[in-house]
Amino acid sequence: MAPDKNRATAAAILPLVGGAQNITSVAHCMTRLRLGLADRSLVDDDALKALPAVLGVVEDDTYQIVLGPGTVARVTPELEALVAESSADAEPRPEGAEHAPTASELAAQGAAIKEARKAKNATPFKLFLRRIANIFVPLIPALIGCGIIAGFNGLLINLEWLPSITPALTAIASGFMALIAVFVGYNTAKEFGGTPILGGAVAAIIVYAGVANIEAFGQKLSPGQGGVLGALGAAVLATYVEKWCRKWVPEAVDVLVTPTLTVLVSGLVTIFGLMFLAGEVSTGIGTAANWLLDNTGAFAGLVLGGLFLPLVMLGLHQALIPIHTTLIEQQGFTVLLPILAMAGAGQVGCAIAVYKRLRHNTSIRTTIKSALPAGFLGVGEPLIYGVSLPLGRPFVTACVGGAAGGAFIGFFSMLGDKVGSTAIGPSGWALFPLLDGNENLGLTVAIYGGGLLVGYLVGFLATYFFGFSKQMLTDLNADVDAGESPTARAEAEPTPAKAPATV
């Protein structure tokens, strides 16, 4: 997308979210523009969904506009610039704003489901998981970049090409992972209300080479022991120590005493406690993941692939981010992500089946055609919220497709052919450049590609034959135009159509 298009997209979004005065914060993750809003009622959801660059919207603690990988990183700074440039008098939204091309009962149902889920997800535990996710999500671009370089470098080494360049590429790919604990500590302190650099300073102890001369619990420590989990715990402790100091240390000596006590107290606890304990936990995670796939691979893949979409809906998938990062830090790749990516494959197969079954529903078919390319690349929100979840049964059959794809990859893990990803974030076809494993790259790619095909096929067949009741097909297979509003359609039909059936 060219710079002028990025600015045009940002300019189109701004009035539809209530203007600059309604925006309290702007951020983005891998695929979504995340906006803090002063007044949610000023947002025109239908008009936002109608924008060509918008793949969907998601309501959570922030208002999230799905733009897709790459695009979101370019549109976000343009929107920030427009917000900064805007005058106090925001431009009024045009009265003639068009409705989304899928103005149908499904859109209303999807919005209702998201609103209800947002309320259910606002529990202390799930809010804590969101905070953990906020620590690791900013690290994903570096994980992806270094992961791709590592994969390319591994290919060069295997082919014995450019031997004078591969050591430099190794350093480039490995540098970030060697210091990832520092970045985790920095982000943790920032997220929990401490001074970020103090969190980074305490976490840096974990990767300092000199810890090899220190003994704790009868064992010599090793640099990096405890990894990202130890860094997270150390930075959280540092934040609480700092807050205590800010409360009790006199202001006259605060600038000297508070940082010193924060680093000293949390540093000693990290060295003589957290590094050992977090190291044991990290080792346990790696051992458990390997044992699970070595001994119950097909079943484990079936369960993980089948349940990942419900975990996403419940907000529990965020608990997996530190686990992925720990596995990448320990083994060089996470064996769980390729299996979980099969959930997206089932969603794609499901969407194609819905497209085939609802031949006369132009509205739903238009939604699928616009969202399917993003689905192949692992961006599943438009298909989930716009198609399968509001329909009910197709969401279940999509999970069946994900379970089949996960079982396929898990089966090969039982045979000793592990498939992993050197980074987290991408899914679907976008994961191919990040694939790694314990066998040659060609076999790893073939197994992952086979899993995607199984997910597509089973998701399609399960949805085509079991995703609709006869009544659902009758109700949904109406000749509905993509641009027709529910009101206009109701006036044109003698008998209003029933709401789509759900499971």
Side-chain angles (χ1 to χ4, degrees):
M1 185 180 286
D4 56 338
K5 290 186 178 180
N6 295 323
R7 192 168 184 84
T9 298
I13 290 173
L14 185 58
L16 300 180
V17 294
Q21 302 306 309
N22 194 42
I23 297 177
T24 59
S25 65
V26 180
H28 74 89
C29 61
M30 281 296 299
T31 60
R32 305 178 187 181
L33 172 64
R34 298 171 179 257
L35 301 178
L37 300 175
D39 187 351
R40 169 66 182 83
S41 66
L42 297 179
V43 178
D44 191 333
D45 295 292
D46 289 341
L48 271 174
K49 295 174 188 175
L51 295 177
V54 174
L55 303 176
V57 297
V58 178
E59 275 224 56
D60 208 318
D61 51 335
T62 55
Y63 189 78
Q64 302 170 14
I65 302 171
V66 184
L67 298 174
T71 301
V72 68
R74 292 167 173 80
V75 172
T76 300
E78 296 291 349
L79 183 67
E80 289 175 328
L82 288 174
V83 170
E85 294 168 5
S86 294
S87 61
D89 297 323
E91 292 185 12
R93 185 179 54 196
E95 295 180 0
E98 296 180 0
H99 290 286
T102 58
S104 64
E105 287 82 3
L106 284 183
Q109 286 191 10
I113 291 170
K114 285 184 283 184
E115 187 65 31
R117 189 149 283 107
K118 177 185 175 184
K120 290 181 180 180
N121 284 349
T123 63
F125 177 66
K126 291 173 184 174
L127 290 174
F128 172 76
L129 290 182
R130 285 199 195 115
R131 300 187 80 173
I132 298 299
N134 290 341
I135 293 168
F136 289 92
V137 166
L139 306 180
I140 290 177
L143 284 169
I144 293 173
C146 295
I148 291 177
I149 294 171
F152 177 68
N153 190 48
L155 182 63
L156 292 178
I157 292 173
N158 291 334
L159 295 174
E160 298 183 352
W161 290 356
L162 302 176
S164 61
I165 299 297
T166 51
L169 293 179
T170 299
I172 294 170
S174 305
F176 172 74
M177 288 306 303
L179 297 175
I180 190 173
V182 179
F183 296 101
V184 169
Y186 184 95
N187 286 349
T188 300
K190 182 178 179 181
E191 180 65 25
F192 282 85
T195 300
I197 198 64
L198 291 180
V202 174
I205 297 169
I206 292 174
V207 296
Y208 174 57
V211 298
N213 301 319
I214 302 172
E215 187 174 301
F217 294 93
Q219 299 179 16
K220 286 280 189 179
L221 296 177
S222 58
Q225 186 174 341
V228 295
L229 297 182
L232 194 154
V236 169
L237 175 62
T239 298
Y240 281 102
V241 172
E242 180 188 359
K243 288 180 178 179
W244 183 89
C245 290
R246 300 288 184 201
K247 183 178 180 180
W248 295 104
V249 173
E251 290 185 9
V253 293
D254 178 74
V255 70
L256 298 175
V257 175
T258 296
T260 303
L261 285 179
T262 298
V263 174
L264 178 62
V265 173
S266 53
L268 288 172
V269 174
T270 297
I271 291 171
F272 293 106
L274 285 177
M275 285 186 67
F276 176 81
L277 295 176
E280 293 299 302
V281 173
S282 298
T283 301
I285 289 174
T287 302
N290 289 328
W291 182 92
L292 192 66
L293 293 179
D294 289 343
N295 295 278
T296 66
F299 177 74
L302 183 141
V303 172
L304 291 171
L307 293 182
F308 186 62
L309 286 180
L311 285 177
V312 172
M313 305 311 301
L314 294 172
L316 298 177
H317 66 296
Q318 294 165 335
L320 296 172
I321 297 178
I323 296 176
H324 286 312
T325 309
T326 297
L327 291 175
I328 292 171
E329 191 178 35
Q330 280 187 343
Q331 304 174 5
F333 55 83
T334 168
V335 293
L336 298 181
L337 185 58
I339 292 176
L340 299 176
M342 295 301 107
Q347 189 72 231
V348 168
C350 163
I352 296 173
V354 172
Y355 186 88
K356 292 292 185 182
R357 291 292 265 168
L358 303 184
R359 296 180 181 275
H360 301 293
N361 194 315
T362 311
S363 177
I364 296 177
R365 286 164 66 90
T366 300
T367 299
I368 293 172
K369 282 194 294 185
S370 63
L372 205 53
F376 278 112
L377 293 174
V379 183
E381 290 95 335
L383 290 176
I384 295 173
Y385 291 112
V387 181
S388 64
L389 187 60
L391 285 173
R393 278 196 189 187
F395 181 76
V396 176
T397 53
C399 293
V400 172
F408 180 88
I409 294 181
F411 173 75
F412 279 93
S413 290
M414 291 178 66
L415 299 180
D417 302 319
K418 287 187 171 61
V419 177
S421 170
T422 57
I424 57 177
S427 184
W429 294 359
L431 197 61
F432 276 109
L434 296 167
L435 291 178
D436 197 1
N438 62 337
E439 299 294 338
N440 67 77
L441 184 59
L443 181 60
T444 300
V445 170
I447 294 172
Y448 179 73
L452 287 178
L453 291 176
V454 170
Y456 295 152
L457 181 61
V458 174
F460 175 86
L461 294 176
T463 305
Y464 193 91
F465 291 107
F466 305 106
F468 298 92
S469 65
K470 291 182 178 179
Q471 188 61 49
M472 286 176 69
L473 287 174
T474 301
D475 292 342
L476 290 168
N477 236 333
D479 189 5
V480 181
D481 290 331
E484 189 177 13
S485 69
T487 305
R489 188 168 64 251
E491 292 174 352
E493 295 175 354
T495 305
K498 296 178 182 179
T502 56
V503 177

